């Protein structure tokens, strides 16, 4: 297995393709395998890399407690340096989008285009219902991770669109089932300064936000807030998809991502 030894961790990664560098960053409780479909598609025109984040999947050592968002942005910087990449494009999913945005704010000179799938947004309050559900999931994961997945996570409506497509839910489910032996995290160490929600206007990277129309209301609100807050950002809502739109409708999402990352050259008139 390929590993990058950086910042006291052995980061698992996979990389393929040739061209400009694209880093794919997965979300909570998952690992790089959840980004396999877009990585495969992007590898036809890019050098596409995906990593298991700090404390997740096959990256070692395990990290049980919260990790500051800035530490994860520093992990990304060290990973790019390890590959001698001066500037990269980014594709994030779920709370991996928070990592991407934090990096883009800290290192605009190292950031190309940014695409965000079903993004969360640090600092944007949940609805009362969303906050309650998230708190229950966190508590259950701390007590009995395997039961929490079965009783709290998998019954969630965000998996409904995946269940309706043959084999899709099973692929996603198999990735999340690895969580008890390779824990990711839902908690985040509080920061002293302003959260991402209050700093979006400083993001200078060209940005695309993609979200499924059947995702939770809180997640749709996150996507709208990000698209409205980042200058020039574009929002695309995919019909009949939810949290895992890049797996549920991989071809359609990949076409949109390819158009974004490889825009047609302007024709001189």
């Amino acid at each position: 297995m390929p590993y990058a030894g950086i910042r006291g961790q052995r980061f698992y990664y996979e990389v393929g393709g040739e061209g400009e560098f694209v880093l794919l960053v997965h979300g909570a409780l998952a690992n790089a395998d959840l980004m396999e479909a877009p990585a495969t598609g992007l590898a036809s025109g890019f050098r596409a890399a995906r990593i298991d984040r700090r404390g997740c999947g096959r990256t070692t050592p395990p990290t049980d407690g919260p990790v500051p968002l800035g530490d994860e942005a520093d992990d990304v910087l060290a990973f790019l340096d390890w590959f001698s990449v001066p500037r990269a494009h980014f594709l994030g999913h779920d709370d991996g989008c928070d990592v991407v945005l934090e990096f883009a704010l800290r290192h605009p000179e190292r950031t190309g285009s940014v695409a965000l799938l079903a993004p969360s947004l640090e600092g944007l309050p949940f609805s009362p219902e969303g906050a309650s559900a998230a708190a229950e999931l966190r508590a259950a994961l701390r007590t009995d991770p395997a039961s929490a997945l079965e009783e709290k996570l998998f019954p969630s409506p965000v998996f409904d669109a995946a269940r309706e497509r043959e084999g899709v839910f099973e692929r996603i489910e198999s990735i999340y089932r690895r969580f008890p032996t390779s824990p990711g995290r839902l908690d985040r160490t509080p920061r002293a300064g302003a959260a991402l929600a209050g700093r979006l206007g400083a993001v200078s990277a060209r940005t695309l936000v993609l979200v499924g129309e059947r995702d939770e209301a809180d997640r749709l609100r996150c996507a709208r807030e990000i698209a409205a807050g980042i200058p020039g950002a574009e929002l695309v809502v995919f019909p009949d998809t939810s949290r895992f739109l890049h797996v549920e409708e991989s071809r359609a999402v990949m076409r949109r991502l390819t158009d974004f990352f490889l825009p047609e050259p302007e024709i001189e008139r």
Side-chain angles (χ1 to χ4, degrees):
M1 290 185 178
Y3 286 91
I6 51 178
R7 304 191 72 234
Q9 302 271 312
R10 294 176 68 242
F11 283 86
Y12 175 84
Y13 72 90
E14 295 191 21
V15 62
E18 297 292 336
E20 295 183 41
F21 201 89
V22 179
L23 182 62
L24 295 89
V25 184
H26 67 80
L29 310 183
N31 58 54
D33 293 349
L34 195 56
M35 306 300 283
E36 180 180 8
T40 300
L42 288 171
S44 62
F46 287 90
R47 191 181 185 197
R50 48 195 167 106
I51 61 172
D52 284 355
R53 290 164 53 192
R54 177 178 292 261
C56 299
R58 293 143 291 197
T59 288
T60 57
T63 304
D64 294 327
V67 177
L69 193 55
D71 281 7
E72 291 212 69
D74 289 343
D75 290 342
V76 170
L77 178 64
F79 187 76
L80 296 186
D81 289 344
W82 195 81
F83 266 96
S84 299
V85 173
R87 187 168 180 266
H89 303 284
F90 292 92
L91 175 61
H93 177 244
D94 189 45
D95 78 341
C97 297
D98 290 329
V99 178
V100 169
L101 289 173
E102 180 71 16
F103 181 88
L105 283 164
R106 289 179 174 224
H107 305 286
E109 77 287 352
R110 304 288 295 270
T111 307
S113 301
V114 166
L116 308 172
L117 296 163
S120 63
L121 179 59
E122 181 205 39
L124 186 69
F126 283 102
S127 65
E129 298 80 9
S132 176
E136 288 182 10
L137 177 58
R138 287 189 181 94
L141 287 168
R142 285 192 289 266
T143 302
D144 185 343
S147 294
L149 296 179
E150 297 295 338
E151 298 171 8
K152 298 292 184 182
L153 184 65
F154 294 145
S156 168
V158 302
F159 290 92
D160 286 350
R163 290 182 216 281
E164 295 166 5
R165 292 158 169 85
E166 185 176 358
V168 171
F169 173 72
E170 290 73 17
R171 289 207 306 277
I172 298 169
E173 179 188 35
S174 69
I175 293 169
Y176 280 91
R177 284 190 185 281
R178 299 174 208 164
F179 165 75
T181 55
S182 57
R185 306 163 315 279
L186 281 180
D187 295 321
R188 176 73 70 189
T189 302
R191 72 161 84 220
L196 289 174
R199 300 158 60 208
L200 293 174
V203 176
S204 58
R206 183 168 163 266
T207 302
L208 174 68
V209 184
L210 303 98
V211 68
E213 69 169 354
R214 293 173 58 183
D215 209 335
E216 294 172 323
D218 279 337
R219 197 55 62 100
L220 288 162
R221 184 162 58 93
C222 282
R224 289 193 293 268
E225 289 286 337
I226 293 171
I230 296 177
E234 181 183 0
L235 173 65
V236 177
V237 181
F238 274 83
D240 198 31
T241 61
S242 186
R243 184 67 48 84
F244 308 96
L245 63 161
H246 59 298
V247 186
E248 297 158 357
E249 291 294 338
S250 59
R251 291 184 179 179
V253 171
M254 275 314 308
R255 283 196 296 270
R256 190 64 189 82
L257 287 172
T258 301
D259 289 345
F260 172 71
F261 283 123
L262 292 172
E264 291 291 334
E266 294 185 8
I267 300 174
E268 293 186 9
R269 298 182 182 278

